[in-house]
Amino acid sequence: MSHGIKHVAIIMDGNGRWANQRLRPRVWGHVRGSTVVSDIVQAADDLGVEALTLYAFSTENWSRPSQEVGALFRLLHKFLLKERKRLLANKVSFRVIGNTTRLPQDTKDLIAKLETETKDFAGLKLTFCFSYGGRMELVHAMNSFITANPGKEITEEDVQDHLMRPETGDVDLLIRTGGEQRVSNFLLWQIAYAELCFTPTKWPDFTARELKRIVESVSKRERRFGGLPAAADKNLPRPEVQSIHVQ
Ligand code: IPE
Ligand code: IPE
Ligand code: MG
């Protein structure tokens, strides 16, 4: 994989505005948006990405009208039914993270079945964040650590190990569609060193081509992780010839 981007996370935003621009109800935008998801899963797989994490419904989205929330639930259910065969055929390892207790029982059953069926697959790690919040995940991680290790001081590794899907690791590239430039409580721990990309394209218009373009362009950025640019290292005076004194 030449682009070096292993984990892509996407905030799939802009469905409502996409529909309103077309004088349709917001739910229409969600319906169209849900059809884009399978293309993007396929595209990420084709690009050789190892993990794709999609923000489908936030803990804050519960404040939306119940009719919209219900529609999003039904779309998740439909997606699971429609995509199951393809996910199995492509050896995609599928997980839902978030607080799914309020989902209808048949959807919960469908999720559990698909997670069990795909858990040992070595293909793309696909994660749906549903009724998910980054703060909620961190609180969950800390509580689960404390319960297992009463009285012990928590480390960064402990937090990482107790996340809802630890094996997907840090995010390399965070994309938000829909033009807003904020994180909206998504993967707060995992995006510490992510490259950020905000595109004005609303989610129903997002394509495999745009994803590929973003991955290619972001892979040219230099990620320094707090270090120095690779080229600068060579030009720096060596410590013994450096004459600057820090007071
Ligand atoms: C993203 O689209 C999907 C969800 C948050 C569930 P929105 O519904 O937020 O669409 P806009 O941002 O209002 O256009
Ligand atoms: C973020 O979008 C959540 C999802 C895309 C699922 P929102 O539309 O809910 O975020 P805000 O309200 O603009 O921050
Ligand atoms: Mg939005």
Side-chain angles (χ1 to χ4, degrees):
M1 189 199 8
S2 62
H3 54 69
I5 294 174
K6 293 185 186 160
H7 184 180
V8 175
I10 309 182
I11 303 176
M12 307 184 289
D13 195 27
N15 293 348
R17 280 164 288 158
W18 184 91
N20 287 345
Q21 279 174 346
R22 287 157 183 78
L23 308 177
R24 300 279 197 145
R26 294 178 52 82
V27 169
W28 175 253
H30 295 316
V31 173
R32 289 299 292 264
S34 71
T35 66
V36 173
V37 177
S38 12
D39 287 352
I40 298 306
V41 171
Q42 187 65 53
D45 212 356
D46 295 345
L47 280 166
V49 160
E50 290 173 17
L52 176 68
T53 304
L54 300 173
Y55 204 8
F57 188 87
S58 73
T59 46
E60 289 74 24
N61 289 147
W62 282 105
S63 66
R64 296 193 180 192
S66 58
Q67 181 240 6
E68 182 170 341
V69 171
L72 289 165
F73 281 12
R74 285 190 294 282
L75 284 170
L76 172 67
H77 194 91
K78 270 195 180 163
F79 177 88
L80 298 170
L81 285 177
K82 189 167 72 81
E83 292 300 314
R84 183 172 162 267
K85 274 208 182 112
R86 191 139 72 121
L87 297 177
L88 293 176
N90 290 337
K91 302 281 178 239
V92 171
S93 164
F94 179 78
R95 284 281 300 279
V96 175
I97 62 169
N99 180 359
T100 50
T101 47
R102 283 164 79 183
L103 281 175
Q105 192 55 49
D106 56 347
T107 308
K108 283 195 274 194
D109 293 345
L110 214 51
I111 292 170
K113 185 168 163 238
L114 200 50
E115 286 183 341
T116 311
E117 284 175 323
T118 67
K119 78 173 166 29
D120 296 324
F121 284 168
L124 177 75
K125 293 183 181 68
L126 173 65
T127 309
F128 258 53
C129 301
F130 207 92
S131 190
Y132 171 90
R135 288 183 173 178
M136 183 206 72
E137 183 180 29
L138 284 174
V139 170
H140 162 89
M142 290 171 205
N143 279 330
S144 112
F145 172 83
I146 291 166
T147 310
N149 306 276
K152 197 168 161 244
E153 203 167 292
I154 192 164
T155 65
E156 287 195 13
E157 285 71 29
D158 295 328
V159 175
Q160 173 62 36
D161 290 348
H162 287 80
L163 294 174
M164 288 172 163
R165 197 174 188 189
E167 72 274 20
T168 53
D170 282 350
V171 171
D172 297 300
L173 167 60
L174 171 67
I175 300 171
R176 180 172 187 143
T177 63
E180 310 287 3
Q181 302 196 3
R182 55 178 170 259
V183 169
S184 299
N185 201 12
F186 189 38
L187 303 176
L188 299 177
W189 181 269
Q190 299 89 326
I191 62 171
Y193 261 104
E195 294 295 324
L196 308 179
C197 174
F198 300 100
T199 168
T201 308
K202 295 180 182 67
W203 178 253
D205 287 332
F206 195 68
T207 57
R209 230 163 126 209
E210 183 166 2
L211 176 67
K212 190 162 180 268
R213 249 194 352 253
I214 293 172
V215 167
E216 277 167 4
S217 126
V218 168
S219 67
K220 297 195 185 97
R221 295 186 195 168
E222 186 174 27
R223 301 182 73 192
R224 293 191 288 277
F225 300 98
L228 293 174
D233 270 352
K234 298 186 198 85
N235 300 330
L236 269 180
R238 292 213 308 277
E240 63 270 25
V241 293
Q242 231 173 343
S243 57
I244 300 164
H245 293 280
V246 180
Q247 298 295 321

